Amino acid sequence: MNRTVLITGASRGIGAAAARLFGENGYRVAIGCYKGIDKAQQLAASLPDAEVFSADIADEAAVNQMIESVSSRFGAIDVLVNNAGIAMQKLFTDTTAEEWMRIFNVNVTGMFYASRAVLPGMIHRKTGRIINISSMWGQTGASCEVAYSASKAAVIGLTRALAKEVGPSGITVNCVAPGVIDTDMNQALNEQDRSVLCEETPLERLGTAEEVAQAILFLASDQAAFITGQVLGVNGGFVI
Ligand code: NAD
């Protein structure tokens, strides 16, 4: 029987690439979306069995409603990919409390809401996969991205602790930590920034959304059944 995946923030970038790849591999795909609904709907139309579900991931009631809608449409959610995220480049001392809270509410609390909503079903069925998207900056820290780095480090902590808690229920929880990936999130990088980042990467290039999607698909697969609580770097060797 085909499995169902819910991918948050799947209107573009890594989330959209993952939605495409899961769809091509026989999954029913719930495309989580906040902005960019037109692109999300085009993506859904291009896949065999996919539908768009809107929610601000930082809104508890909206996330619960989205999970209910996905379950009504597709039945059990077998795989949750917590991908929705926002970044901000700013000096720590210029960061407002509102900006700090928004980064954490989207990048961490949204992951808590979505995971908490899918887990009762997974625990009941004694199977499930949760894959959280962190960042190499959550492993090493980035200057002028303290809020983002701290939120992505929290994602790693959440992953490890939750893996221990739900492992006895047959559920794996893992993390993918991308390096610099060529998506809209990095639109602001100029040519010089890009070439410096390439030089710092042993594989001498930026990664693609499709390459991150392959790692996510692997962690959802039967081949990854004994892997839990891990952080899989997809970073061209930037962090070793
Ligand atoms: P992106 O900006 O193209 O995509 C982010 C997605 O999250 C979009 O679909 C957006 O609509 C969605 N989103 C944002 N706020 C949301 C909210 N409040 N509720 C629901 N959805 C929301 O960026 P991307 O590069 O595809 O990033 C995907 C994930 O990968 C993010 O968690 C990001 O932090 C992480 N990541 C990206 C890179 C990179 O270099 N691009 C590196 C490391 C980690």
Side-chain angles (χ1 to χ4, degrees):
M1 209 175 83
N2 286 356
R3 290 193 283 185
T4 296
V5 61
L6 166 61
I7 305 168
T8 66
S11 61
R12 67 182 202 184
I14 292 168
R20 232 173 276 119
L21 190 64
F22 275 84
E24 287 162 7
N25 280 271
Y27 280 79
R28 289 183 289 261
V29 185
I31 298 174
C33 165
Y34 177 43
K35 293 177 179 157
I37 188 134
D38 292 349
K39 275 169 104 179
Q41 272 162 351
Q42 279 170 25
L43 175 61
S46 73
L47 297 174
D49 196 2
E51 195 166 314
V52 177
F53 299 87
S54 294
D56 175 354
I57 205 70
D59 178 337
E60 182 178 14
V63 173
N64 287 337
Q65 178 59 54
M66 173 177 72
I67 304 289
E68 264 186 56
S69 305
V70 175
S71 302
S72 311
R73 165 71 171 80
F74 289 120
I77 298 170
D78 303 292
V79 181
L80 169 66
V81 181
N82 282 312
N83 165 77
I86 50 173
M88 184 185 68
Q89 292 193 323
K90 209 169 193 186
L91 280 175
F92 182 65
T93 44
D94 288 345
T95 303
T96 66
E98 288 72 25
E99 288 165 339
W100 181 274
M101 294 304 288
R102 184 65 185 163
I103 296 255
F104 268 76
N105 286 341
V106 174
N107 293 1
V108 188
T109 312
M111 205 169 268
F112 159 61
Y113 292 148
S115 304
R116 190 186 53 177
V118 301
L119 271 168
M122 290 182 175
I123 291 167
H124 180 71
R125 294 187 301 281
K126 289 218 154 261
T127 183
R129 299 288 169 90
I130 297 178
I131 298 147
N132 299 324
I133 310 306
S134 176
S135 162
M136 68 174 176
W137 301 133
Q139 297 172 293
T140 66
S143 165
C144 297
E145 290 192 76
V146 175
Y148 181 74
S149 301
S151 74
K152 292 299 184 178
V155 169
I156 294 173
L158 185 160
T159 300
R160 291 178 171 152
L162 187 60
K164 289 184 180 174
E165 186 166 321
V166 300
S169 298
I171 299 156
T172 69
V173 187
N174 287 292
C175 199
V176 172
V180 189
I181 309 300
D182 200 2
T183 68
D184 290 325
M185 192 173 265
N186 287 320
Q187 237 176 5
L189 294 176
N190 61 32
E191 271 315 305
Q192 200 195 343
D193 297 333
R194 289 170 78 93
S195 64
V196 168
L197 287 163
C198 289
E199 272 168 35
E200 287 182 65
T201 306
L203 291 179
E204 296 186 321
R205 64 175 176 84
L206 305 191
T208 67
E210 289 70 26
E211 287 168 323
V212 182
Q214 290 287 356
I216 299 170
L217 183 72
F218 166 67
L219 289 171
S221 74
D222 292 342
Q223 286 70 33
F226 200 53
I227 299 175
T228 196
Q230 302 304 307
V231 181
L232 177 53
V234 182
N235 59 37
F238 201 115
V239 174
I240 293 178

